[in-house]
Amino acid sequence: TQAPVNVTVTGAAGQIGYALLFRIASGQLLGQDTPVKLRLLEIPQAVKAAEGTALELEDGAFPLLSGIDIFDDAKQAFAGVNVALLVGARPRTKGMERGDLLEANGGIFKPQGEAINAGAADDVKVLVVGNPANTNALIAQSHAPDVPADRFTAMTRLDHNRAVAQLAKKLGVAVADVKKLTIWGNHSATQYPDIFHAEVGGKNAAEAVGDQSWIADEFIPRVAKRGAEIIEARGASSAASAANAAIDHVYDWVNGTAEGDWVSMGIPSDGSYGVPEGLISSFPVTTKDGKYEIVQGLDIDAFSRERIDASVRELSEERDAVKQLGLV
Ligand code: NDP
């Protein structure tokens, strides 16, 4: 049998962590043939809560779970890591300026990048979930010069899945019938969910909708503001759906996308589609053998161009801000 894969989860005692860990242990992150070893990282005050979750994981008697270790030290938590899920982050609190938020997160993601650089396995794959995810990923990546930059990714899969579900609902089709949808840009309110290349039952999705005002005035803002809608309804931010998207992101990265479809991932830009090189921006990607490739050659019309550019501008501003703070 295969040796266990080391999966490090930060913020393990949080809401997303609670929903995520059981699914990793059950084999949904990497597949039913792959045993996993969990390495949980928490801040010292939350270690006890993480230990409680570990007791429950033990009680799951998961055949694929071959061990759980808990740390409050990043160097130890990332030693030998194959898959790193960076969930813990500093949330924006009332009265906090964007610069303060970026700085607080720099204090988290810089040492985590250094720890990954120092101790990760050669095949390490990193997914940043904690917000602002794209820029947190950029900070971590810039402090891991010995790890190929393309191993650092940010999660836009929840946005992708939300968009697929909304489109399927609008057209009265099954979610499995929706293919080739794209989230472009930042995981923020400026993100651009693009259905102009999407297909529904083999037909172009935008043509099937046939109503540009639904796309501009309902669909795009609905997807972009879905997080707020969840908070309003649940009284807490989305957690299980975010964990689900993290599972999807890594599973597809490792196991490959289906023929005739693609997914959205926040990845370091190679300059494709006019996105400045190095920014961690969401693109349509296909995956195979543990590697991803940007889908090339899509026609970008003026409607899409304007929205991609606006979100990428925000990413550039975030990069400038963390540069000024000396974080990248
Ligand atoms: P959650 O588990 O709910 O969220 C964790 C992070 O995921 C937040 O940054 C959150 O951003 C982000 N996120 C990304 N996408 C989504 C989404 N669609 N919906 C909701 N959240 C999303 O936070 P908790 O406060 O419950 O838990 C955080 C844990 O992290 C705590 O236990 C804390 O101790 C720990 N932590 C650990 C650190 C470490 O290991 N070094 C460092 C910092 C914190 P947003 O805030 O924008 O919702």
Side-chain angles (χ1 to χ4, degrees):
T1 59
Q2 209 187 316
V5 172
N6 287 322
V7 179
T8 300
V9 179
T10 77
Q15 296 301 313
I16 295 175
Y18 193 71
L20 182 60
L21 292 168
F22 292 84
R23 297 192 57 188
I24 298 172
S26 77
Q28 292 175 303
L29 185 75
L30 297 168
Q32 294 303 325
D33 301 326
T34 311
V36 292
K37 228 178 182 156
L38 281 169
R39 303 176 71 81
L40 312 183
L41 178 65
E42 258 299 352
I43 54 176
Q45 312 84 283
V47 161
K48 187 146 185 278
E51 285 168 355
T53 305
L55 295 179
E56 281 202 78
L57 283 161
E58 195 180 319
D59 293 348
F62 292 104
L64 290 170
L65 182 59
S66 68
I68 311 170
D69 290 301
I70 301 170
F71 305 94
D72 62 6
D73 174 74
K75 284 260 156 43
Q76 290 175 354
F78 290 113
V81 62
N82 305 106
V83 178
L85 302 171
L86 310 191
V87 179
R90 176 73 162 80
R92 189 191 288 266
T93 39
K94 249 202 161 84
M96 203 176 192
E97 301 288 333
R98 188 182 63 168
D100 302 333
L101 181 72
L102 292 171
E103 191 160 23
N105 279 295
I108 296 167
F109 288 88
K110 177 174 178 233
Q112 291 187 359
E114 291 167 347
I116 288 168
N117 197 54
D122 287 344
D123 68 347
V124 67
K125 292 180 167 62
V126 183
L127 168 62
V128 177
V129 174
N131 283 315
N134 300 55
T135 296
N136 288 342
L138 183 69
I139 294 169
Q141 181 254 307
S142 73
H143 293 281
D146 303 328
V147 177
D150 65 4
R151 307 290 184 77
F152 284 83
T153 67
M155 190 168 91
T156 52
R157 184 59 179 266
L158 180 55
D159 308 303
H160 179 101
N161 287 348
R162 285 167 170 168
V164 166
Q166 290 301 319
L167 181 61
K169 200 156 126 182
K170 168 76 174 172
L171 294 173
V173 301
V175 285
D177 292 334
V178 176
K179 312 272 187 215
K180 299 186 177 175
L181 190 142
T182 306
I183 304 293
W184 298 93
N186 199 0
H187 168 68
S188 76
T190 68
Q191 66 173 269
Y192 171 47
D194 175 2
I195 67 165
F196 290 98
H197 304 97
E199 294 171 4
V200 173
K203 287 203 282 264
N204 181 274
E207 281 166 25
V209 168
D211 174 3
Q212 184 105 353
S213 69
W214 179 80
I215 298 172
D217 304 331
E218 292 183 51
F219 172 72
I220 295 173
R222 188 94 199 261
V223 172
K225 294 181 194 158
R226 184 70 162 181
E229 186 182 343
I230 306 281
I231 292 173
E232 178 65 30
R234 257 187 111 223
S237 62
S238 42
S241 55
N244 178 63
I247 295 277
D248 284 351
H249 177 114
V250 174
Y251 186 89
D252 286 344
W253 187 0
V254 170
N255 292 292
T257 42
E259 194 61 41
D261 200 3
W262 65 60
V263 294
S264 304
M265 288 170 67
I267 57 171
S269 176
D270 63 357
S272 292
Y273 296 103
V275 180
E277 205 177 329
L279 283 181
I280 296 193
S281 187
S282 188
F283 286 96
V285 300
T286 55
T287 59
K288 202 183 169 201
D289 301 328
K291 295 196 163 65
Y292 57 78
E293 261 180 49
I294 297 176
V295 176
Q296 296 295 341
L298 301 177
D299 279 328
I300 306 295
D301 68 6
F303 180 94
S304 294
R305 187 76 260 168
E306 184 190 326
R307 287 167 173 80
I308 294 170
D309 287 350
S311 195
V312 168
R313 208 175 307 123
E314 182 183 52
L315 284 171
S316 296
E317 288 166 9
E318 289 182 15
R319 176 165 71 178
D320 291 346
V322 291
K323 244 189 206 154
Q324 277 193 350
L325 291 165
L327 294 171
V328 299

